[in-house]
Amino acid sequence: MQKFHTQITQLALDLTLGISNQDRFDRLLEVLRNLLNCDAAALLAYRDQQFVPLAIDGLYEEVMGRRFNINEHPRLEAIARAGDVVRFPADSDIADPYDGLIPNKGDKLHVHACVGLPLIAHGNLIGALTIDGFDANQFDQFTDRDLRTISALAAASLHTSLLMKQLEAQAVHVGAHSPQVTKDIKLGEEMIGQSGAMMDLRMQIQSVANTDLSVLITGETGVGKELVAAAIHSQSNRAKQTLVYLNCAALPESVAESELFGHVKGAFTGAISHRKGKFELADNGTLFLDEVGELPLSLQSKLLRVLQYGDLQRVGDDSVLKVNTRIVAATNRNLHQDVVNGQFRADLYHRLSVFPIHVPPLREREGDTTLLSGFFIEKCKNKLNLKHLSISPAALSLLRQYSWPGNVRQLEHAIHRAAVLARTEAFSGKDNKPSSPVILQPHHFELTQSASPLHQVAANESTLLRSPQLHSPQLAQTTETLVGLKQATEDFQTQIIATSLDNNQQNWAATARDLQIDSGNLHRLAKRLGLKD
C-alpha cells in the first residue's frame, strides 16, 4: 500500500507539469495502468447527456471517435448517476460499451472486473474514468477510498484543462463585443478529428467566429462545409440568434429572388400573402449560403447590394428594409476561376471571401478516418437498434487506405451500407436474434477509386445481391422474415441514392436528374432514409 501512495503522489505531480492536455490525459492512463494493473482504461468527458473519449489505453483507436449516449449504455448511465465509485459485479449481465473494442478479446467481454469513477467538479459531473481487468478479482485489493483519490485527481486535471480551453477562447475574442466562451457544437454537428489539418481548421474557425466578417468556406464535396458554418455561428456573438440555411443550387431561378429577399402580396401569381426572405429571417443572425457559386448572375448584383449597404427590397415592394445579417458562404467550385471566366462577379467574390477557410479533404487528414469510422459506427448501431456494432481490423485497414473521393460523407454512407449488410448476415432464425456478432468486414464495403457510370448502378445492385456472402437460402429466409418488404425496399433505395451521389460527387441536383426524380422529392426521401439531416 506504501507503493500505492507513492505512485499517487507521483501522479499528482505529473498532472501539474506544463504539458499539453492530451499528454496529461495520456500520462494519467499510463500511470493508472501501472498502478492498478488494469487491461483497459478510458478517460471520458461528459456533455449533453453523452460521454466523449479524451484518452484511451488498451482499446481500439476507433473508440476515440465514438460518442456514448448514456441512455443507450446502461453501465455509463449508472456511472453518471452514481456520484461515487461503481464496481460492477464480474458476472453482471449489463452490456459493456467496450464489447468488441478491446484487441484480442473477441466481440464479447465475459467475466471481468469493471470499475467506473465519476469525475465531479463543484458538484457537477464533468467526466468519468472506466477501468477494466480480465481477472474477476483484479481490483479487490483497492479500497473505495483509494479509487476516490484517483477520481479526485483525474477530476482536478480534467477541470483544469476545461478552464484552460475557456481562457484560450476568451483570449482569441478579446476586443469583440459580448465575448463568449467557445461552445460545443450540438450532437450531429460535431467535427470529428485530431489531425494537424483539423487542428488548423479549428483555429481558423475560432479566430473569425466572433467577428462580423463574411466567410467563404471552400473544399471538395462531402468534407463538411456545413459543419464549419455551424461551428462559426455557434462560437459567435450571434449564437443566440438564428442560423438560416439556403442551398443556392436547389433554387429555381424563378423563385430565387423571393427566397432571398421575400415578396409582398400580389407581387406575382401565387403570392397570396407577404413573405419574409432568408435575409430577413436571419436578421441579427447568420445566413449560410451553401453552393453559392450556383447563384445566377442576375441575382449576384442584388446580393452584392445587401452585403454592401445592408438594405434590401422585397419582390414587388419599393420600400427598403435594413438588415444586420452575417454571411457565411460555401462552394466546391473554384470561384476565382469562375470570375476569370465571367461566370461569377468579381466584386461579389471579394465581398464574400473576406476571410476564406479551406476545409481539407479526408485523404489529407491523417488518422481521422479511424475516429470518423468509430463515430459513424456508433450512430449506425443506434439507428439499426443493435446492441453492439464493431469493425474488424482488416476492414478498418481497408478504409484507411482508400482515398475517399467523396470525403466524410462518402465514408458515412459506406459505413451505413456496410452495417445494413452485416446486420442481415448476422441475423437468422425466427426469433430476430443475431446468430453471430455484427462486425463490419472488408467484403461489406464496395470501394472503387473511380465511380462507375450511373447506368451500371442497377447492375451493381444485382451483383451485390448475388454475391457469395449474401446469396444463401438461410439469408433469403432471413430477408423475408426479418427485414420485410418495406425495410428491404428502403435498404435498396438507400444503396441506389448513395451510389448515385458518389457518382455525382455528392451533387444532389445532378443526382436527382440522373435518377429521374424531382429534386424536392429526392431531398425528402433522403431525409426519411437517414441519408441527410
PDB file of all heavy atoms in Angstrom, residues 17-48:
ATOM      1  N   LEU A  17       2.542  19.222 -14.398  1.00  0.00           N
ATOM      2  CA  LEU A  17       3.585  19.591 -15.351  1.00  0.00           C
ATOM      3  C   LEU A  17       3.024  20.456 -16.467  1.00  0.00           C
ATOM      4  O   LEU A  17       1.850  20.342 -16.834  1.00  0.00           O
ATOM      5  CB  LEU A  17       4.224  18.323 -15.953  1.00  0.00           C
ATOM      6  CG  LEU A  17       5.002  17.429 -14.972  1.00  0.00           C
ATOM      7  CD1 LEU A  17       5.479  16.174 -15.690  1.00  0.00           C
ATOM      8  CD2 LEU A  17       6.172  18.178 -14.367  1.00  0.00           C
ATOM      9  N   GLY A  18       3.872  21.290 -17.030  1.00  0.00           N
ATOM     10  CA  GLY A  18       3.435  22.168 -18.113  1.00  0.00           C
ATOM     11  C   GLY A  18       3.430  21.465 -19.442  1.00  0.00           C
ATOM     12  O   GLY A  18       4.233  21.777 -20.334  1.00  0.00           O
ATOM     13  N   ILE A  19       2.544  20.512 -19.617  1.00  0.00           N
ATOM     14  CA  ILE A  19       2.427  19.758 -20.865  1.00  0.00           C
ATOM     15  C   ILE A  19       1.038  19.965 -21.433  1.00  0.00           C
ATOM     16  O   ILE A  19       0.151  20.527 -20.782  1.00  0.00           O
ATOM     17  CB  ILE A  19       2.704  18.256 -20.631  1.00  0.00           C
ATOM     18  CG1 ILE A  19       1.755  17.704 -19.548  1.00  0.00           C
ATOM     19  CG2 ILE A  19       4.153  18.029 -20.235  1.00  0.00           C
ATOM     20  CD1 ILE A  19       1.944  16.209 -19.283  1.00  0.00           C
ATOM     21  N   SER A  20       0.829  19.523 -22.665  1.00  0.00           N
ATOM     22  CA  SER A  20      -0.478  19.694 -23.294  1.00  0.00           C
ATOM     23  C   SER A  20      -1.526  18.846 -22.582  1.00  0.00           C
ATOM     24  O   SER A  20      -1.204  17.879 -21.888  1.00  0.00           O
ATOM     25  CB  SER A  20      -0.403  19.289 -24.764  1.00  0.00           C
ATOM     26  OG  SER A  20      -0.224  17.889 -24.882  1.00  0.00           O
ATOM     27  N   ASN A  21      -2.798  19.216 -22.793  1.00  0.00           N
ATOM     28  CA  ASN A  21      -3.883  18.465 -22.172  1.00  0.00           C
ATOM     29  C   ASN A  21      -3.852  17.000 -22.597  1.00  0.00           C
ATOM     30  O   ASN A  21      -4.034  16.095 -21.774  1.00  0.00           O
ATOM     31  CB  ASN A  21      -5.229  19.083 -22.548  1.00  0.00           C
ATOM     32  CG  ASN A  21      -5.477  20.381 -21.813  1.00  0.00           C
ATOM     33  OD1 ASN A  21      -4.948  20.605 -20.722  1.00  0.00           O
ATOM     34  ND2 ASN A  21      -6.263  21.255 -22.405  1.00  0.00           N
ATOM     35  N   GLN A  22      -3.631  16.757 -23.895  1.00  0.00           N
ATOM     36  CA  GLN A  22      -3.648  15.382 -24.375  1.00  0.00           C
ATOM     37  C   GLN A  22      -2.518  14.575 -23.746  1.00  0.00           C
ATOM     38  O   GLN A  22      -2.711  13.417 -23.347  1.00  0.00           O
ATOM     39  CB  GLN A  22      -3.535  15.347 -25.906  1.00  0.00           C
ATOM     40  CG  GLN A  22      -3.828  13.976 -26.501  1.00  0.00           C
ATOM     41  CD  GLN A  22      -5.242  13.498 -26.166  1.00  0.00           C
ATOM     42  OE1 GLN A  22      -6.218  14.187 -26.397  1.00  0.00           O
ATOM     43  NE2 GLN A  22      -5.354  12.295 -25.595  1.00  0.00           N
ATOM     44  N   ASP A  23      -1.346  15.169 -23.640  1.00  0.00           N
ATOM     45  CA  ASP A  23      -0.231  14.461 -22.994  1.00  0.00           C
ATOM     46  C   ASP A  23      -0.545  14.179 -21.526  1.00  0.00           C
ATOM     47  O   ASP A  23      -0.197  13.125 -20.986  1.00  0.00           O
ATOM     48  CB  ASP A  23       1.052  15.288 -23.094  1.00  0.00           C
ATOM     49  CG  ASP A  23       1.610  15.318 -24.504  1.00  0.00           C
ATOM     50  OD1 ASP A  23       1.266  14.421 -25.285  1.00  0.00           O
ATOM     51  OD2 ASP A  23       2.387  16.242 -24.828  1.00  0.00           O
ATOM     52  N   ARG A  24      -1.209  15.144 -20.882  1.00  0.00           N
ATOM     53  CA  ARG A  24      -1.569  14.959 -19.475  1.00  0.00           C
ATOM     54  C   ARG A  24      -2.574  13.811 -19.325  1.00  0.00           C
ATOM     55  O   ARG A  24      -2.457  12.975 -18.427  1.00  0.00           O
ATOM     56  CB  ARG A  24      -2.148  16.256 -18.911  1.00  0.00           C
ATOM     57  CG  ARG A  24      -2.471  16.197 -17.419  1.00  0.00           C
ATOM     58  CD  ARG A  24      -2.965  17.527 -16.910  1.00  0.00           C
ATOM     59  NE  ARG A  24      -1.893  18.526 -16.892  1.00  0.00           N
ATOM     60  CZ  ARG A  24      -1.827  19.557 -17.745  1.00  0.00           C
ATOM     61  NH1 ARG A  24      -2.759  19.723 -18.663  1.00  0.00           N
ATOM     62  NH2 ARG A  24      -0.831  20.418 -17.665  1.00  0.00           N
ATOM     63  N   PHE A  25      -3.552  13.756 -20.223  1.00  0.00           N
ATOM     64  CA  PHE A  25      -4.555  12.687 -20.165  1.00  0.00           C
ATOM     65  C   PHE A  25      -3.912  11.324 -20.440  1.00  0.00           C
ATOM     66  O   PHE A  25      -4.216  10.329 -19.762  1.00  0.00           O
ATOM     67  CB  PHE A  25      -5.666  12.947 -21.177  1.00  0.00           C
ATOM     68  CG  PHE A  25      -6.454  14.206 -20.925  1.00  0.00           C
ATOM     69  CD1 PHE A  25      -7.089  14.866 -21.974  1.00  0.00           C
ATOM     70  CD2 PHE A  25      -6.556  14.744 -19.650  1.00  0.00           C
ATOM     71  CE1 PHE A  25      -7.810  16.011 -21.743  1.00  0.00           C
ATOM     72  CE2 PHE A  25      -7.276  15.897 -19.414  1.00  0.00           C
ATOM     73  CZ  PHE A  25      -7.905  16.541 -20.462  1.00  0.00           C
ATOM     74  N   ASP A  26      -3.042  11.277 -21.442  1.00  0.00           N
ATOM     75  CA  ASP A  26      -2.372  10.010 -21.758  1.00  0.00           C
ATOM     76  C   ASP A  26      -1.492   9.554 -20.587  1.00  0.00           C
ATOM     77  O   ASP A  26      -1.420   8.359 -20.284  1.00  0.00           O
ATOM     78  CB  ASP A  26      -1.519  10.175 -23.023  1.00  0.00           C
ATOM     79  CG  ASP A  26      -2.361  10.369 -24.279  1.00  0.00           C
ATOM     80  OD1 ASP A  26      -3.548   9.993 -24.259  1.00  0.00           O
ATOM     81  OD2 ASP A  26      -1.831  10.894 -25.273  1.00  0.00           O
ATOM     82  N   ARG A  27      -0.828  10.508 -19.962  1.00  0.00           N
ATOM     83  CA  ARG A  27       0.019  10.188 -18.815  1.00  0.00           C
ATOM     84  C   ARG A  27      -0.820   9.644 -17.662  1.00  0.00           C
ATOM     85  O   ARG A  27      -0.425   8.695 -16.969  1.00  0.00           O
ATOM     86  CB  ARG A  27       0.775  11.445 -18.371  1.00  0.00           C
ATOM     87  CG  ARG A  27       1.624  11.289 -17.113  1.00  0.00           C
ATOM     88  CD  ARG A  27       2.704  10.274 -17.275  1.00  0.00           C
ATOM     89  NE  ARG A  27       3.540  10.160 -16.081  1.00  0.00           N
ATOM     90  CZ  ARG A  27       4.248   9.101 -15.771  1.00  0.00           C
ATOM     91  NH1 ARG A  27       4.252   8.044 -16.563  1.00  0.00           N
ATOM     92  NH2 ARG A  27       4.986   9.084 -14.671  1.00  0.00           N
ATOM     93  N   LEU A  28      -1.986  10.209 -17.466  1.00  0.00           N
ATOM     94  CA  LEU A  28      -2.882   9.738 -16.406  1.00  0.00           C
ATOM     95  C   LEU A  28      -3.225   8.264 -16.597  1.00  0.00           C
ATOM     96  O   LEU A  28      -3.140   7.462 -15.657  1.00  0.00           O
ATOM     97  CB  LEU A  28      -4.155  10.589 -16.409  1.00  0.00           C
ATOM     98  CG  LEU A  28      -5.327  10.088 -15.548  1.00  0.00           C
ATOM     99  CD1 LEU A  28      -4.960  10.140 -14.082  1.00  0.00           C
ATOM    100  CD2 LEU A  28      -6.578  10.917 -15.820  1.00  0.00           C
ATOM    101  N   LEU A  29      -3.604   7.876 -17.816  1.00  0.00           N
ATOM    102  CA  LEU A  29      -3.983   6.482 -18.063  1.00  0.00           C
ATOM    103  C   LEU A  29      -2.772   5.549 -17.989  1.00  0.00           C
ATOM    104  O   LEU A  29      -2.895   4.393 -17.566  1.00  0.00           O
ATOM    105  CB  LEU A  29      -4.661   6.364 -19.430  1.00  0.00           C
ATOM    106  CG  LEU A  29      -6.012   7.073 -19.571  1.00  0.00           C
ATOM    107  CD1 LEU A  29      -6.696   6.659 -20.872  1.00  0.00           C
ATOM    108  CD2 LEU A  29      -6.931   6.779 -18.395  1.00  0.00           C
ATOM    109  N   GLU A  30      -1.622   6.050 -18.400  1.00  0.00           N
ATOM    110  CA  GLU A  30      -0.412   5.232 -18.302  1.00  0.00           C
ATOM    111  C   GLU A  30      -0.084   4.895 -16.844  1.00  0.00           C
ATOM    112  O   GLU A  30       0.238   3.753 -16.500  1.00  0.00           O
ATOM    113  CB  GLU A  30       0.761   5.978 -18.942  1.00  0.00           C
ATOM    114  CG  GLU A  30       2.078   5.218 -18.886  1.00  0.00           C
ATOM    115  CD  GLU A  30       3.243   6.031 -19.425  1.00  0.00           C
ATOM    116  OE1 GLU A  30       3.002   7.078 -20.066  1.00  0.00           O
ATOM    117  OE2 GLU A  30       4.402   5.632 -19.192  1.00  0.00           O
ATOM    118  N   VAL A  31      -0.197   5.909 -15.987  1.00  0.00           N
ATOM    119  CA  VAL A  31       0.062   5.681 -14.563  1.00  0.00           C
ATOM    120  C   VAL A  31      -0.995   4.747 -13.981  1.00  0.00           C
ATOM    121  O   VAL A  31      -0.685   3.861 -13.177  1.00  0.00           O
ATOM    122  CB  VAL A  31       0.099   7.016 -13.797  1.00  0.00           C
ATOM    123  CG1 VAL A  31       0.177   6.780 -12.294  1.00  0.00           C
ATOM    124  CG2 VAL A  31       1.290   7.853 -14.260  1.00  0.00           C
ATOM    125  N   LEU A  32      -2.250   4.932 -14.366  1.00  0.00           N
ATOM    126  CA  LEU A  32      -3.315   4.056 -13.863  1.00  0.00           C
ATOM    127  C   LEU A  32      -3.072   2.605 -14.247  1.00  0.00           C
ATOM    128  O   LEU A  32      -3.325   1.689 -13.456  1.00  0.00           O
ATOM    129  CB  LEU A  32      -4.671   4.518 -14.412  1.00  0.00           C
ATOM    130  CG  LEU A  32      -5.334   5.711 -13.750  1.00  0.00           C
ATOM    131  CD1 LEU A  32      -6.689   5.971 -14.370  1.00  0.00           C
ATOM    132  CD2 LEU A  32      -5.485   5.477 -12.244  1.00  0.00           C
ATOM    133  N   ARG A  33      -2.600   2.395 -15.473  1.00  0.00           N
ATOM    134  CA  ARG A  33      -2.347   1.020 -15.920  1.00  0.00           C
ATOM    135  C   ARG A  33      -1.284   0.365 -15.039  1.00  0.00           C
ATOM    136  O   ARG A  33      -1.407  -0.810 -14.657  1.00  0.00           O
ATOM    137  CB  ARG A  33      -1.912   1.021 -17.377  1.00  0.00           C
ATOM    138  CG  ARG A  33      -1.830  -0.377 -17.963  1.00  0.00           C
ATOM    139  CD  ARG A  33      -1.476  -0.354 -19.437  1.00  0.00           C
ATOM    140  NE  ARG A  33      -1.691  -1.686 -20.005  1.00  0.00           N
ATOM    141  CZ  ARG A  33      -2.527  -1.960 -20.982  1.00  0.00           C
ATOM    142  NH1 ARG A  33      -3.269  -1.007 -21.480  1.00  0.00           N
ATOM    143  NH2 ARG A  33      -2.641  -3.175 -21.453  1.00  0.00           N
ATOM    144  N   ASN A  34      -0.242   1.130 -14.719  1.00  0.00           N
ATOM    145  CA  ASN A  34       0.811   0.585 -13.859  1.00  0.00           C
ATOM    146  C   ASN A  34       0.356   0.453 -12.409  1.00  0.00           C
ATOM    147  O   ASN A  34       0.725  -0.490 -11.709  1.00  0.00           O
ATOM    148  CB  ASN A  34       2.052   1.485 -13.924  1.00  0.00           C
ATOM    149  CG  ASN A  34       2.680   1.497 -15.305  1.00  0.00           C
ATOM    150  OD1 ASN A  34       2.614   0.498 -16.027  1.00  0.00           O
ATOM    151  ND2 ASN A  34       3.273   2.610 -15.692  1.00  0.00           N
ATOM    152  N   LEU A  35      -0.463   1.410 -11.975  1.00  0.00           N
ATOM    153  CA  LEU A  35      -0.889   1.444 -10.585  1.00  0.00           C
ATOM    154  C   LEU A  35      -1.904   0.353 -10.267  1.00  0.00           C
ATOM    155  O   LEU A  35      -1.796  -0.358  -9.267  1.00  0.00           O
ATOM    156  CB  LEU A  35      -1.491   2.828 -10.281  1.00  0.00           C
ATOM    157  CG  LEU A  35      -1.968   3.102  -8.862  1.00  0.00           C
ATOM    158  CD1 LEU A  35      -0.799   3.071  -7.895  1.00  0.00           C
ATOM    159  CD2 LEU A  35      -2.665   4.460  -8.799  1.00  0.00           C
ATOM    160  N   LEU A  36      -2.906   0.210 -11.135  1.00  0.00           N
ATOM    161  CA  LEU A  36      -3.990  -0.737 -10.888  1.00  0.00           C
ATOM    162  C   LEU A  36      -3.822  -2.041 -11.646  1.00  0.00           C
ATOM    163  O   LEU A  36      -4.635  -2.954 -11.490  1.00  0.00           O
ATOM    164  CB  LEU A  36      -5.332  -0.092 -11.273  1.00  0.00           C
ATOM    165  CG  LEU A  36      -5.687   1.228 -10.579  1.00  0.00           C
ATOM    166  CD1 LEU A  36      -7.020   1.750 -11.104  1.00  0.00           C
ATOM    167  CD2 LEU A  36      -5.743   1.039  -9.071  1.00  0.00           C
ATOM    168  N   ASN A  37      -2.820  -2.094 -12.520  1.00  0.00           N
ATOM    169  CA  ASN A  37      -2.598  -3.277 -13.345  1.00  0.00           C
ATOM    170  C   ASN A  37      -3.853  -3.611 -14.162  1.00  0.00           C
ATOM    171  O   ASN A  37      -4.237  -4.777 -14.304  1.00  0.00           O
ATOM    172  CB  ASN A  37      -2.194  -4.478 -12.487  1.00  0.00           C
ATOM    173  CG  ASN A  37      -1.645  -5.618 -13.323  1.00  0.00           C
ATOM    174  OD1 ASN A  37      -1.051  -5.390 -14.378  1.00  0.00           O
ATOM    175  ND2 ASN A  37      -1.866  -6.845 -12.879  1.00  0.00           N
ATOM    176  N   CYS A  38      -4.501  -2.580 -14.695  1.00  0.00           N
ATOM    177  CA  CYS A  38      -5.725  -2.793 -15.469  1.00  0.00           C
ATOM    178  C   CYS A  38      -5.362  -3.124 -16.919  1.00  0.00           C
ATOM    179  O   CYS A  38      -4.260  -2.834 -17.390  1.00  0.00           O
ATOM    180  CB  CYS A  38      -6.625  -1.567 -15.415  1.00  0.00           C
ATOM    181  SG  CYS A  38      -5.864  -0.046 -16.004  1.00  0.00           S
ATOM    182  N   ASP A  39      -6.300  -3.728 -17.632  1.00  0.00           N
ATOM    183  CA  ASP A  39      -6.067  -4.126 -19.015  1.00  0.00           C
ATOM    184  C   ASP A  39      -6.620  -3.118 -20.012  1.00  0.00           C
ATOM    185  O   ASP A  39      -6.206  -3.107 -21.176  1.00  0.00           O
ATOM    186  CB  ASP A  39      -6.700  -5.499 -19.269  1.00  0.00           C
ATOM    187  CG  ASP A  39      -6.040  -6.575 -18.424  1.00  0.00           C
ATOM    188  OD1 ASP A  39      -4.886  -6.919 -18.718  1.00  0.00           O
ATOM    189  OD2 ASP A  39      -6.680  -7.049 -17.453  1.00  0.00           O
ATOM    190  N   ALA A  40      -7.553  -2.294 -19.570  1.00  0.00           N
ATOM    191  CA  ALA A  40      -8.110  -1.255 -20.442  1.00  0.00           C
ATOM    192  C   ALA A  40      -8.634  -0.127 -19.568  1.00  0.00           C
ATOM    193  O   ALA A  40      -9.144  -0.359 -18.466  1.00  0.00           O
ATOM    194  CB  ALA A  40      -9.240  -1.818 -21.305  1.00  0.00           C
ATOM    195  N   ALA A  41      -8.482   1.085 -20.055  1.00  0.00           N
ATOM    196  CA  ALA A  41      -8.966   2.247 -19.306  1.00  0.00           C
ATOM    197  C   ALA A  41      -9.328   3.353 -20.293  1.00  0.00           C
ATOM    198  O   ALA A  41      -8.798   3.413 -21.406  1.00  0.00           O
ATOM    199  CB  ALA A  41      -7.907   2.747 -18.320  1.00  0.00           C
ATOM    200  N   ALA A  42     -10.234   4.214 -19.877  1.00  0.00           N
ATOM    201  CA  ALA A  42     -10.641   5.336 -20.722  1.00  0.00           C
ATOM    202  C   ALA A  42     -10.987   6.534 -19.855  1.00  0.00           C
ATOM    203  O   ALA A  42     -11.593   6.392 -18.790  1.00  0.00           O
ATOM    204  CB  ALA A  42     -11.846   4.952 -21.590  1.00  0.00           C
ATOM    205  N   LEU A  43     -10.567   7.708 -20.321  1.00  0.00           N
ATOM    206  CA  LEU A  43     -10.952   8.976 -19.704  1.00  0.00           C
ATOM    207  C   LEU A  43     -11.992   9.615 -20.602  1.00  0.00           C
ATOM    208  O   LEU A  43     -11.749   9.819 -21.801  1.00  0.00           O
ATOM    209  CB  LEU A  43      -9.741   9.895 -19.549  1.00  0.00           C
ATOM    210  CG  LEU A  43     -10.027  11.316 -19.050  1.00  0.00           C
ATOM    211  CD1 LEU A  43     -10.581  11.294 -17.627  1.00  0.00           C
ATOM    212  CD2 LEU A  43      -8.772  12.184 -19.119  1.00  0.00           C
ATOM    213  N   LEU A  44     -13.164   9.912 -20.043  1.00  0.00           N
ATOM    214  CA  LEU A  44     -14.296  10.414 -20.818  1.00  0.00           C
ATOM    215  C   LEU A  44     -14.748  11.765 -20.278  1.00  0.00           C
ATOM    216  O   LEU A  44     -14.820  11.963 -19.066  1.00  0.00           O
ATOM    217  CB  LEU A  44     -15.465   9.429 -20.746  1.00  0.00           C
ATOM    218  CG  LEU A  44     -15.161   7.951 -21.016  1.00  0.00           C
ATOM    219  CD1 LEU A  44     -16.332   7.077 -20.598  1.00  0.00           C
ATOM    220  CD2 LEU A  44     -14.865   7.743 -22.494  1.00  0.00           C
ATOM    221  N   ALA A  45     -15.054  12.669 -21.185  1.00  0.00           N
ATOM    222  CA  ALA A  45     -15.681  13.935 -20.803  1.00  0.00           C
ATOM    223  C   ALA A  45     -17.192  13.779 -20.919  1.00  0.00           C
ATOM    224  O   ALA A  45     -17.683  13.031 -21.768  1.00  0.00           O
ATOM    225  CB  ALA A  45     -15.195  15.071 -21.696  1.00  0.00           C
ATOM    226  N   TYR A  46     -17.928  14.488 -20.074  1.00  0.00           N
ATOM    227  CA  TYR A  46     -19.395  14.390 -20.078  1.00  0.00           C
ATOM    228  C   TYR A  46     -20.004  15.710 -20.548  1.00  0.00           C
ATOM    229  O   TYR A  46     -19.689  16.765 -19.995  1.00  0.00           O
ATOM    230  CB  TYR A  46     -19.909  14.055 -18.683  1.00  0.00           C
ATOM    231  CG  TYR A  46     -21.419  13.954 -18.598  1.00  0.00           C
ATOM    232  CD1 TYR A  46     -22.085  12.845 -19.104  1.00  0.00           C
ATOM    233  CD2 TYR A  46     -22.176  14.975 -18.027  1.00  0.00           C
ATOM    234  CE1 TYR A  46     -23.469  12.738 -19.029  1.00  0.00           C
ATOM    235  CE2 TYR A  46     -23.555  14.876 -17.949  1.00  0.00           C
ATOM    236  CZ  TYR A  46     -24.195  13.758 -18.453  1.00  0.00           C
ATOM    237  OH  TYR A  46     -25.559  13.676 -18.385  1.00  0.00           O
ATOM    238  N   ARG A  47     -20.823  15.642 -21.559  1.00  0.00           N
ATOM    239  CA  ARG A  47     -21.561  16.821 -22.016  1.00  0.00           C
ATOM    240  C   ARG A  47     -22.766  16.377 -22.843  1.00  0.00           C
ATOM    241  O   ARG A  47     -22.705  15.396 -23.581  1.00  0.00           O
ATOM    242  CB  ARG A  47     -20.671  17.774 -22.826  1.00  0.00           C
ATOM    243  CG  ARG A  47     -19.987  17.180 -24.038  1.00  0.00           C
ATOM    244  CD  ARG A  47     -19.244  18.280 -24.799  1.00  0.00           C
ATOM    245  NE  ARG A  47     -18.559  17.771 -25.974  1.00  0.00           N
ATOM    246  CZ  ARG A  47     -17.256  17.554 -26.063  1.00  0.00           C
ATOM    247  NH1 ARG A  47     -16.487  17.798 -25.018  1.00  0.00           N
ATOM    248  NH2 ARG A  47     -16.706  17.103 -27.169  1.00  0.00           N
ATOM    249  N   ASP A  48     -23.839  17.125 -22.705  1.00  0.00           N
ATOM    250  CA  ASP A  48     -25.055  16.883 -23.491  1.00  0.00           C
ATOM    251  C   ASP A  48     -25.526  15.429 -23.417  1.00  0.00           C
ATOM    252  O   ASP A  48     -25.847  14.797 -24.422  1.00  0.00           O
ATOM    253  CB  ASP A  48     -24.845  17.270 -24.960  1.00  0.00           C
ATOM    254  CG  ASP A  48     -24.547  18.743 -25.133  1.00  0.00           C
ATOM    255  OD1 ASP A  48     -25.052  19.539 -24.318  1.00  0.00           O
ATOM    256  OD2 ASP A  48     -23.801  19.104 -26.060  1.00  0.00           O
TER     257      ASP A  48
END
